[in-house]
């Protein structure tokens, strides 16, 4: 048999094999391919619309009327999308609106750029005539809040409080450092993880912390990170790099009279509660209002106000009423 005959026989075998593939299997495979392609197209389109950082507001007539010159700003945690950030704000609405309006920092999908974010926030403050800010640092967002406080004070914009929610002091407080450091290594080596390859990482990360979540939460949160609304892989990698290199001591003398309240959960499986709490308390002793707020009963244990508003709202109210009292006669909303 010559070469041409051999190639012809191989093609015949392939054609014969095609008959053994059911029409249903072929259609299912084709539909899956089309759905994947469509999802990637939608994902790219949405992420391109979020290439610039933004300050997103959550309208509230009550807060806007009572506190026209004051606003909370939420700095979301690791891999938190714009939509989930707004969900967190809404979950804490009854407590936050006792001292100000509500806004959230939407990070750029091009990567974490705090210089640009500071410019956007400064413009937001000027456009709305704000004179006072309160910051809520959700997980690693507490690190961002510290740096942004220093940047705002340098522009003459006062920040009254940084409310930290399970915020690590440094990378050494991150419990699963092997997986975390691998993300940083690839990012700093110039490798960008495509969004469609994040599934294994996202699922694996949550299974590692299975004790914090139910299987339903694991699947829901994994799929959430793979939706078109999720933050880009580039942003996730840049956030990891920021945590890895964060030097809290650099800002000790540049946050002025801004106060800090740190809260966490001893059952936290993501951030070491004891070392993070101790490090913030010791190194920022002159700014620390309290580090004794505990989110006992929250599930997951790490930075989860959106799932446990009944745990978080009373703690925020406690800080507001004890340390930032309103003039006599100010009413308050009921919690829910």
């Amino acid at each position: 048999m010559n070469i041409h005959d051999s190639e012809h026989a191989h093609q015949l075998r392939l054609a014969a094999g095609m008959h053994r593939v059911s029409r249903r299997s072929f259609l299912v495979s084709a539909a899956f391919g089309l759905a994947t392609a469509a999802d990637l197209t939608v994902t790219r389109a949405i992420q391109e619309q979020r290439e610039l950082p933004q300050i997103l507001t959550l309208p509230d007539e009550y807060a806007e009327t009572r506190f026209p010159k004051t606003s909370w700003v939420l700095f979301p945690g690791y891999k938190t999308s714009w939509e989930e950030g707004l969900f967190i704000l809404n979950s804490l609405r009854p407590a936050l609106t006792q001292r100000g309006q509500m806004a959230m920092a939407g990070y750029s999908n091009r990567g974490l750029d705090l210089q640009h974010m500071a410019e956007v926030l400064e413009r937001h403050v000027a456009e709305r005539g704000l004179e006072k800010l309160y910051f809520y640092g959700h997980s690693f967002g507490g690190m961002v809040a510290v740096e942004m406080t220093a940047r705002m004070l340098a522009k003459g914009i006062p920040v009254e409080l940084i409310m930290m929610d399970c915020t690590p002091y440094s990378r050494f407080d991150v419990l699963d450092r092997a997986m975390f450091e691998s993300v940083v290594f690839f990012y700093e080596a110039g490798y960008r993880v495509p969004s469609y390859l994040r599934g294994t990482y996202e699922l694996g990360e949550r299974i590692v912390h299975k004790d914090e979540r139910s299987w339903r939460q694991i699947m829901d949160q994994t799929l959430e990170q793979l939706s078109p609304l999720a933050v880009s892989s580039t942003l996730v990698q840049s956030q990891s790099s920021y945590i890895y290199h964060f030097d809290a001591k650099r800002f000790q003398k540049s946050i002025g009279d801004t106060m800090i309240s740190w809260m966490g959960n001893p059952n936290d499986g993501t951030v070491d509660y004891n070392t993070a709490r101790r490090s913030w308390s010791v190194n920022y002793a002159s700014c620390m209002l309290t580090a004794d707020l505990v989110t006992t009963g929250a599930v997951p244990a790490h930075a989860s106000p959106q799932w446990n508003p009944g745990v978080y709202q009373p703690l925020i109210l406690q800080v507001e009423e004890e340390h930032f009292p309103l003039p006599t006669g100010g009413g308050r909303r009921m919690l829910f």
Side-chain angles (χ1 to χ4, degrees):
M1 180 182 293
N2 59 35
I3 294 176
H4 294 296
D5 290 338
S6 177
E7 291 179 351
H8 183 62
H10 177 65
Q11 291 171 357
L12 287 175
R13 284 195 297 273
L14 288 177
M18 289 291 288
H19 291 294
R20 291 193 293 270
V21 178
S22 72
R23 178 180 297 178
R24 180 178 180 181
S25 298
F26 174 77
L27 291 175
V28 168
S29 300
F32 178 78
L34 287 172
T36 301
D39 178 68
L40 292 176
T41 300
V42 171
T43 299
R44 280 194 295 269
I46 290 176
Q47 292 189 351
E48 285 172 1
Q49 294 171 9
R50 301 180 181 188
E51 290 191 348
L52 297 178
Q54 292 184 32
I55 299 298
L56 309 174
T57 59
L58 189 63
D60 186 285
E61 186 176 353
Y62 172 87
E64 291 161 7
T65 300
R66 293 199 65 201
F67 306 103
K69 303 292 185 181
T70 307
S71 180
W72 280 92
V73 180
L74 166 72
F75 293 96
Y78 189 56
K79 295 188 291 189
T80 302
S81 68
W82 291 12
E83 286 73 21
E84 187 175 4
L86 291 172
F87 180 30
I88 291 172
L89 274 182
N90 196 53
S91 299
L92 299 177
R93 181 193 295 261
L96 297 183
T97 53
Q98 297 309 303
R99 292 301 180 275
Q101 303 172 53
M102 295 176 293
M104 185 205 80
Y107 306 131
S108 166
N109 272 327
R110 293 178 180 174
L112 193 65
D113 183 349
L114 295 193
Q115 173 61 38
H116 196 173
M117 177 58 75
E119 294 169 359
V120 172
L121 179 55
E122 185 181 356
R123 188 161 58 247
H124 173 81
V125 168
E127 290 173 350
R128 291 184 169 254
L130 300 175
E131 298 176 355
K132 185 192 305 182
L133 299 175
Y134 293 94
F135 286 168
Y136 189 104
H138 174 245
S139 189
F140 111 95
M143 293 175 157
V144 175
V146 168
E147 179 169 345
M148 293 299 288
T149 296
R151 289 178 179 271
M152 290 300 101
L153 293 181
K155 297 292 184 178
I157 302 170
V159 179
E160 297 290 303
L161 170 71
I162 303 171
M163 192 97 193
M164 293 185 177
D165 179 1
C166 300
T167 299
Y169 182 80
S170 72
R171 69 176 183 269
F172 300 108
D173 297 325
V174 178
L175 292 175
D176 185 21
R177 287 207 296 274
M179 184 177 291
F180 162 70
E181 289 175 357
S182 67
V183 175
V184 176
F185 173 80
F186 284 116
Y187 176 73
E188 297 185 351
Y191 180 73
R192 302 295 179 262
V193 179
S195 294
Y196 58 83
L197 293 181
R198 277 174 58 182
T200 301
Y201 170 77
E202 298 294 343
L203 183 60
E205 181 185 42
R206 286 169 177 78
I207 290 177
V208 165
H209 303 302
K210 171 65 177 70
D211 58 312
E212 288 193 350
R213 300 170 172 86
S214 66
W215 281 109
R216 180 173 180 177
Q217 286 177 320
I218 286 175
M219 294 309 300
D220 286 348
Q221 292 177 344
T222 298
L223 292 172
E224 181 180 276
Q225 289 298 320
L226 297 177
S227 79
L229 299 176
V231 302
S232 70
S233 294
T234 299
L235 176 54
V236 170
Q237 289 178 285
S238 67
Q239 289 174 338
S240 300
S241 181
Y242 182 81
I243 298 169
Y244 187 83
H245 295 290
F246 183 77
D247 179 9
K249 291 184 178 180
R250 184 161 66 98
F251 304 105
Q252 281 178 313
K253 298 181 180 180
S254 56
I255 67 167
D257 296 328
T258 302
M259 295 288 101
I260 296 175
S261 289
W262 193 94
M263 59 182 167
N265 193 318
N267 296 318
D268 193 332
T270 301
V271 169
D272 190 314
Y273 169 83
N274 293 310
T275 61
R277 176 175 177 267
R278 182 171 60 249
S279 295
W280 283 113
S281 298
V282 171
N283 293 294
Y284 280 76
S286 63
C287 305
M288 189 63 62
L289 290 178
T290 178
D292 297 326
L293 304 175
V294 183
T295 57
T296 303
V299 180
H302 178 74
S304 57
Q306 66 272 46
W307 306 116
N308 306 276
V311 173
Y312 281 80
Q313 289 176 16
L315 298 180
I316 297 171
L317 276 173
Q318 178 182 330
V319 172
E320 290 175 333
E321 294 173 355
E322 289 182 7
H323 302 286
F324 303 93
L326 291 176
T328 303
R332 109 176 188 186
R333 283 186 178 177
M334 297 297 293
L335 300 185
F336 60 87

